[in-house]
Amino acid sequence: MHRVLVSMFATLAALPLAFAMPYCGLVPPKPQPRSVAQSSGGNTTNGGNSSSPAQVLATGWYPGWLGGTLAPSNISWSKYNALTFAFAVTTNDPSVISLDAQSATLLPEFVTEAGNNGVSALLSIGGWTGSLYFSTAVGNAANRSAFVKAVTGLATKYNLDGIDFDWEYPNRQGIGCNAISPSDSSNFLAFLQQLKQDPVGSKLILSAAVGETPFMGANGTPMTDVSAFADVLDHIAIMNYDVWGSFSPTVGPNSPLDDSCAPTKAGSAVSAVKAWTSANFPANQVKKVCISPKPAYQTFFCKIALGVAAYGHSFHVTTSAALGSGNINLYPAFDKSQQPLGDSDTSTSASVLDPCGQPEGISGTFNFNGMIAHGFLNSNGTAANGIDYTFDNCSQTPFVYNPTAQTMISYDDARSFAAKGNYISSNGLLGFAVWHVAGDYNDILLDAISDAMGVDQICS
């Protein structure tokens, strides 16, 4: 779930398109065996060139509303080969896509910095609060044509390398007041196919942030065949987070790597990758080799990136429920009525209205750097004095507990990011996508996952 602050919107106009950016790639440090297989678009493989290694994807979302905290010039550009600005949002007019005023000012700077550093610049449309009108925008032929024109106009105006679609969710309610239709997924595919045929759209990197199960079909269950989407999307990023939170019956891991060994199976990276590949994503490329970090060839999922979380969810848990035999108990009960304030919450957060006109409530989320600022972690990312810590070997994620405040946080640290990096490499995923890049501290998480994958940067 990608949340964005609610604010006034600025309408976007079209200007001439100009794509002229250098490109940087992140690759394994040594040449590896590879086949001539390549993905259908974007800058994600080497197209079978045996003289140079294929590329992994190191990307993330840059939150425009935190530009005052992390200016584009301060992003660790050398450690990414693509970054996505969040968000533009859908409107009730399919010919209009909107940015809030702050983002409209910041986006050109973001794109310029990306270009200067040889990194692909994408813009994400949608998010948790910005998906209200996706269904309408792709709902019929006329609207799809208008939406294609709006998207390409957006890319033209801001000189973008690509567009990321963060529809939360086709034929499934997200925030609570999204327009939805049984035909959402088929209409989304028709729109993407039309966009891919457009003179401007055909030049764009097209990606999608997706849930842990494939797009919902007309019958209200996940589609069993999403192979056609792989023909028009350069990659998907599975949002493997918000699996457990304040909406759950008990405390649980925010971003579990695995849940096959968990007492309650709510979803994980392992199960999500299995769900998408079982539904034939990425099409007939599942059995082709993109690149292998091991000596032998193996199956590689060339178009699937794993979404990873630089934040965690907090819970109010009594000491008796949280601690047992000197260790943190996993999956304890918590008191929803005493939700702790997250690092961006204030005393008035509960009364802020979302786009549906309902109170947003207290998020209770802590960015990794916020956990350091609020005393849960030391500056090196380890648990601070007086804070209990445990690492769940099933989900491969940590938990901390402050017995004084009776606050437990499920989050990710360097160890869990390294575990996800190892999983990405050993299972042949395309790479990772961090939500969000302003949540890290001194690149502790970013370095952990990149080091685990063993990647180097090359630029051309």
Side-chain angles (χ1 to χ4, degrees):
M1 179 174 69
H2 291 166
R3 300 186 66 174
V4 61
L5 299 181
V6 181
S7 57
M8 299 298 291
F9 298 131
T11 301
L12 306 177
L15 293 175
L17 185 68
F19 298 99
M21 294 186 179
Y23 185 76
C24 284
L26 295 174
V27 300
K30 297 179 181 179
Q32 305 291 342
R34 63 191 62 81
S35 76
V36 296
Q38 68 182 90
S39 65
S40 62
N43 296 312
T44 55
T45 68
N46 68 355
N49 182 351
S50 59
S51 65
S52 62
Q55 296 182 30
V56 296
L57 179 67
T59 188
W61 290 272
Y62 174 80
W65 61 95
L66 292 181
T69 301
L70 178 65
S73 59
N74 292 330
I75 295 173
S76 297
W77 291 103
S78 65
K79 299 178 182 181
Y80 299 99
N81 53 14
L83 276 181
T84 302
F85 189 101
F87 290 104
V89 304
T90 59
T91 73
N92 59 5
D93 181 347
S95 68
V96 177
I97 301 171
S98 294
L99 283 173
D100 64 75
Q102 179 181 0
S103 294
T105 300
L106 194 62
L107 180 55
E109 180 183 349
F110 172 86
V111 173
T112 297
E113 289 290 339
N116 290 342
N117 287 277
V119 175
S120 297
L122 287 76
L123 174 64
S124 186
I125 301 173
W128 182 250
T129 59
S131 296
L132 273 66
Y133 301 104
F134 263 123
S135 181
T136 304
V138 302
N140 58 57
N143 283 6
R144 286 192 291 272
S145 294
F147 198 43
V148 165
K149 186 175 181 180
V151 169
T152 55
L154 185 64
T156 301
K157 177 175 183 177
Y158 289 103
N159 198 23
L160 300 169
D161 292 309
I163 296 291
D164 175 62
F165 296 96
D166 186 2
W167 183 350
E168 303 184 21
Y169 306 92
N171 195 23
R172 180 159 68 93
Q173 190 54 256
I175 194 171
C177 60
N178 292 344
I180 59 173
S181 164
S183 301
D184 278 346
S185 294
S186 60
N187 288 339
F188 186 32
L189 177 60
F191 160 76
L192 290 171
Q193 291 169 334
Q194 185 174 345
L195 178 60
K196 202 68 175 178
Q197 293 299 314
D198 182 88
V200 173
S202 64
K203 300 175 184 177
L204 295 173
I205 299 168
L206 300 181
S207 65
V210 302
E212 297 216 321
T213 56
F215 299 127
M216 203 66 67
N219 63 358
T221 62
M223 297 174 65
T224 57
D225 187 354
V226 292
S227 58
F229 284 93
D231 294 330
V232 287
L233 290 172
D234 291 289
H235 72 267
I236 59 172
I238 297 175
M239 296 185 288
N240 181 49
Y241 32 78
D242 297 325
V243 176
W244 295 78
S246 59
F247 43 83
S248 303
T250 68
V251 174
N254 173 47
S255 179
L257 177 58
D258 192 11
D259 69 336
S260 62
C261 42
T264 300
K265 296 173 176 59
S268 66
V270 171
S271 64
V273 169
K274 181 179 179 179
W276 278 93
T277 55
S278 296
N280 300 320
F281 195 98
N284 61 356
Q285 296 182 355
V286 173
K287 293 184 179 180
K288 292 182 179 180
V289 178
C290 287
I291 182 170
S292 174
K294 297 181 177 180
Y297 288 97
Q298 60 177 265
T299 297
F300 251 63
F301 306 133
C302 315
K303 290 193 172 188
I304 297 178
L306 181 64
V308 292
Y311 73 95
H313 285 283
S314 67
F315 309 83
H316 184 272
V317 184
T318 63
T319 303
S320 59
L323 302 176
S325 303
N327 296 314
I328 295 178
N329 293 324
L330 301 177
Y331 300 96
F334 68 98
D335 187 348
K336 294 179 183 287
S337 69
Q338 298 189 64
Q339 174 63 56
L341 295 177
D343 59 7
S344 63
D345 291 321
T346 68
S347 58
T348 62
S349 293
S351 61
V352 175
L353 300 182
D354 66 19
C356 301
Q358 300 299 314
E360 283 194 342
I362 297 170
S363 73
T365 59
F366 282 84
N367 290 321
F368 183 73
N369 54 27
M371 293 181 66
I372 293 173
H374 286 260
F376 290 95
L377 303 176
N378 295 314
S379 60
N380 64 1
T382 61
N385 290 336
I387 302 297
D388 294 288
Y389 172 93
T390 195
F391 192 86
D392 174 21
N393 288 322
C394 177
S395 69
Q396 291 287 295
T397 62
F399 295 78
V400 290
Y401 181 68
N402 181 336
T404 302
Q406 296 190 319
T407 297
M408 185 177 291
I409 302 179
S410 165
Y411 69 110
D412 272 84
D413 62 5
R415 181 179 176 184
S416 63
F417 260 52
K420 290 180 169 74
N422 287 327
Y423 171 79
I424 290 168
S425 293
S426 62
N427 288 276
L429 272 65
L430 176 60
F432 63 85
V434 183
W435 179 264
H436 49 65
V437 300
D440 204 348
Y441 183 83
N442 287 344
D443 294 339
I444 290 173
L445 302 179
L446 178 58
D447 289 345
I449 195 169
S450 297
D451 290 348
M453 293 171 62
V455 295
D456 291 334
Q457 186 195 46
I458 56 172
C459 293
S460 60

